[in-house]
Amino acid sequence: MVSQRHLQPCMVPERQNSMQFLGPHQERYGVIDVALSIQDSIVLIVGPPSCMREPYFDAYFHDNADRLFSYVLTENDLIFGDYSDTILKVLITLGKERKPGVIFLCTVCSDEITGTICDWVTEEAESALQIPVRRIRRIPICKKHAPSPEQKKYAIYLTPCSFSEHNTRSDTSGIVQILGEFEKIPKINELHAWLSAHGLQVQSPELSSSTSKDLRRLLEASFNLVIHPRGLYMAKQLETDLGIPYYYIPPTYGFDLVRETYKTLENFLGNCDNSHAMPGAKPPLPVIDQLQGLKIALGSGISGSPFELACVLSDLGIEVTSIFVEQVTEFDQRYLSLLRETTSPVKIFVTTDPDVICSKIREIEAEYVIGPDAVRFCPGVRIINPPPNEACFGYQLLPSLLDLLIHDVNTRGKPERFT
Amino acid sequence: MKGLLRYLPPLSSDYAGVCSALYELGGLVVVINPSGCVRTYAYVDEPRWMDQESLIFSSGLCEQDAIFGSSSETGRTITSLWEKVRAPFIALIGTPIPALIGMDITDLAQQIREHVPVPVLPFSTSGFRSYSEGISDAYCAIANEFLSPTSEKYQGINLIGSTPLDIGSSPLREIHTVLQDNGISILTDWTMGGDLKEIARSSSTTGNLVISSAGLKVAVYMQELFGIPFTVGIPIGRYLTDLICSSFTGENPEEYRIRRSRDGKDPVHTTHPQHRALIIAEPVFCMSMKTCLIHDFEIADVATATLNDISSLSLPEDLIPDHCIEVEEELIQVINDPRYTVIIGDPLFERRILSKEDRLFIPYPHTALSGNIFEHTGRFIGYKGHEFMDERLK
């Protein structure tokens, strides 16, 4: 928790995409952006005028400004706390005018303190409009970690499904749903293909461009596979509310771990028939001669653990000089001891530590950065984006990441500091 | 539904105004907020954020702080932070949450003052007031703290009211050029491009040019304390440029114009009396553009409107626009009034509100409204501004 004892410096980032890391809980793609990514939604945000500007411009840049409405509170509103009725009227008016599939009422820190807007506002609006009207919160003052803001945001996509009238599930046997990504996982994805080979029908929702009607399909699965932690909260909700079980299989880079993952997944499926061989069982790695000696900084935000990736890259002769993470988890500890055995030391920075934030780390030795947290602290260093969804899991993950590195070295030449 | 905004964002708020005014002065600026407020300022309201460093910190308020209060702890942290950066002053800036929980920013400043040898400026901003008030407060605090009577005389002026929220860097550059071309030297800008040491010498100048309404209070303050006269206006077009420049050179405006004409710098006189214009912007820009349209182009029917809350800025009557708009619906009515053939204002109006496309729209981006979306242009400024407007009005 970053408390007041730890003043957060608003560093002057050196590139636009670093802006998202100004605070641990304020990512650029916030709750409002997620809510507006449902194509037939509207959002009403209620709060002081200063809280309305950033959501407006985020919505504007995502071409959604026509579905975002702001209700600006005055000081008197907050003092007397008598605006709930007005908000209800606004919700009903907007609902009747715009006829959305779902309405989100977004409250901010001020309402978190005063508690003026209560659930009855959304309940009455829902009853009057006969569409889901749900509350979302944009509250940087709340620094709670569980579930993470990213998980809560992802679970917003469940909102249209939770309206009682639409909870009638059809037969879902044999349907496995992949959660954790915003975009559809294509059929050529290794996991997709492997699940299909096991006779399962794979459902991969395309959340970022769905309508409220499309999202009701999230309920139509016999179980969920979560491949990114952001999907966990949604999966847990689906398990609690509808009894849909889930299994968490974070991507791993090392082939041994990938094999282990598939084995445990087979056990989960209750299918120990080895006739479905491991997909591709250890595909050949690309020739990585030109990557030998390359210095890389890793950060959280990539698929899987940056510590595990660091171990794998070190084994391949690629030097990982620094790792930037928000926190070192228990899961990561096992890799820390492995990293200690590598020939060169690896610096680990906890990005929420004020001392790390305060000091502008200029002496990082890295020619490439992988992972958003590392991008923030290594200005001017070449960035490798994570592999596309086609190769976001399994044996494909490591080769595709190496391919991206090789492609960059081949097309742009060796980085300046590369010797 | 007075508070409902369907098409536009609210204007920047008071704390963004203070931050903007102090951005380049080298002080340790601590915004007391849960982080989101500074993010809005950095991301939307501050075009310099990417290119220019500033010691702006966020206190990172959390729920427990809001419930139990933690002023003493914050004070200690700020003091120890100052020990590291040794800034020439400390500014403490309030936001909605401190205002809501009744945090006493002035008292916090007093606590810090006991431990640091530099001025500590408290700003009880709340996020509910307009950015102009924030800028104005910051200017007055700076003047109060750093200006003193001096025997030094600087033959030149201060530009007051230059923050990116009102004036983009490109128009500001053009204003500098216009003034310098007319032999008027500028000591410093309040405060975009300004320097605290130079600003502290502001009381030695012979005049002030106020280019936004936020600068008016401090100009009045400097007039009362140091006898420095001020002129209000942005040099847009020929007439106003002459008027402003002659006010500092001491010449009669008409003689000044004739002399300039002899220099061959007077553009060809063309008029566009057929137009009826509406200007929606910050009050000083409104007044300046209106003067240009009336005197340079003989447009008799010019109305002005502003979204800025000017109630606390003590503006003289001729600076108060015809429409002080508080409700979005009122703006929609005014802007869609068919009698106007020309509308000058932020491009966001054209994209989000203007219903008729057969009218001439001349964009003038206003960062306090549309953030960093649109690029500012300095083409309105000076004699070149006359040519630019002439071209657009044809």
Side-chain angles (χ1 to χ4, degrees), chain A residues 4 8 12 28 54 97, chain B residues 6 35 39 43 49 70 74:
Chain A
Q4 203 162 351
Q8 299 171 356
V12 180
R28 278 297 310 282
E54 198 206 343
E97 268 177 30
Chain B
R6 290 163 182 266
S35 300
R39 197 179 127 76
Y43 171 48
W49 193 261
S70 56
T74 308

Side-chain angles (χ1 to χ4, degrees), chain A residues 19-74:
Chain A
M19 289 295 287
Q20 62 183 310
F21 301 104
L22 273 174
H25 299 287
Q26 294 105 42
E27 293 179 338
R28 278 297 310 282
Y29 208 75
V31 283
I32 295 174
D33 300 297
V34 172
L36 288 171
S37 73
I38 300 171
Q39 300 297 300
D40 56 347
S41 69
I42 63 171
V43 175
L44 173 67
I45 177 169
V46 179
S50 54
C51 304
M52 311 282 175
R53 282 178 65 74
E54 198 206 343
Y56 179 90
F57 290 104
D58 279 347
Y60 184 90
F61 286 123
H62 295 137
D63 229 3
N64 290 327
D66 60 332
R67 291 190 285 121
L68 176 68
F69 302 88
S70 316
Y71 189 86
V72 179
L73 297 178
T74 63

Side-chain angles (χ1 to χ4, degrees), chain B residues 154 174 217 244 249 288 291 321 326 331 341-342 364 367 388:
Chain B
Y154 179 85
E174 286 299 320
K217 262 191 188 172
I244 287 171
T249 57
S288 308
T291 309
E326 290 181 18
L331 175 68
T341 57
V342 181
Y364 180 76
T367 305
F388 173 71

Side-chain angles (χ1 to χ4, degrees), chain A residues 44-46 70-74 76-78 80-95 105 116-118 120-122 124-125, chain B residues 1-6 329:
Chain A
L44 173 67
I45 177 169
V46 179
S70 316
Y71 189 86
V72 179
L73 297 178
T74 63
N76 283 350
D77 286 330
L78 284 176
F80 296 111
D82 56 355
Y83 52 89
S84 296
D85 287 329
T86 315
I87 298 305
L88 176 61
K89 275 184 207 160
V90 174
L91 285 172
I92 292 174
T93 308
L94 291 175
L105 170 63
T116 304
I117 293 182
C118 301
W120 68 263
V121 175
T122 48
E124 286 203 13
Chain B
M1 294 180 198
K2 191 181 167 188
L4 183 63
L5 294 173
R6 290 163 182 266
E329 282 157 21

Side-chain angles (χ1 to χ4, degrees), chain B residues 99-154:
Chain B
L100 200 58
I101 62 175
M103 193 171 179
D104 191 340
I105 306 269
T106 310
D107 181 65
L108 178 60
Q110 187 55 41
Q111 288 175 35
I112 297 169
R113 259 183 220 122
E114 288 167 13
H115 301 99
V116 297
V118 294
V120 183
L121 312 176
F123 295 96
S124 297
T125 40
S126 63
F128 289 94
R129 295 185 301 143
S130 145
Y131 75 96
S132 308
E133 290 181 51
I135 298 172
S136 182
D137 288 354
Y139 285 171
C140 289
I142 289 288
N144 204 28
E145 197 60 54
F146 295 101
L147 298 195
S148 54
T150 173
S151 55
E152 181 198 352
K153 271 292 162 211
Y154 179 85

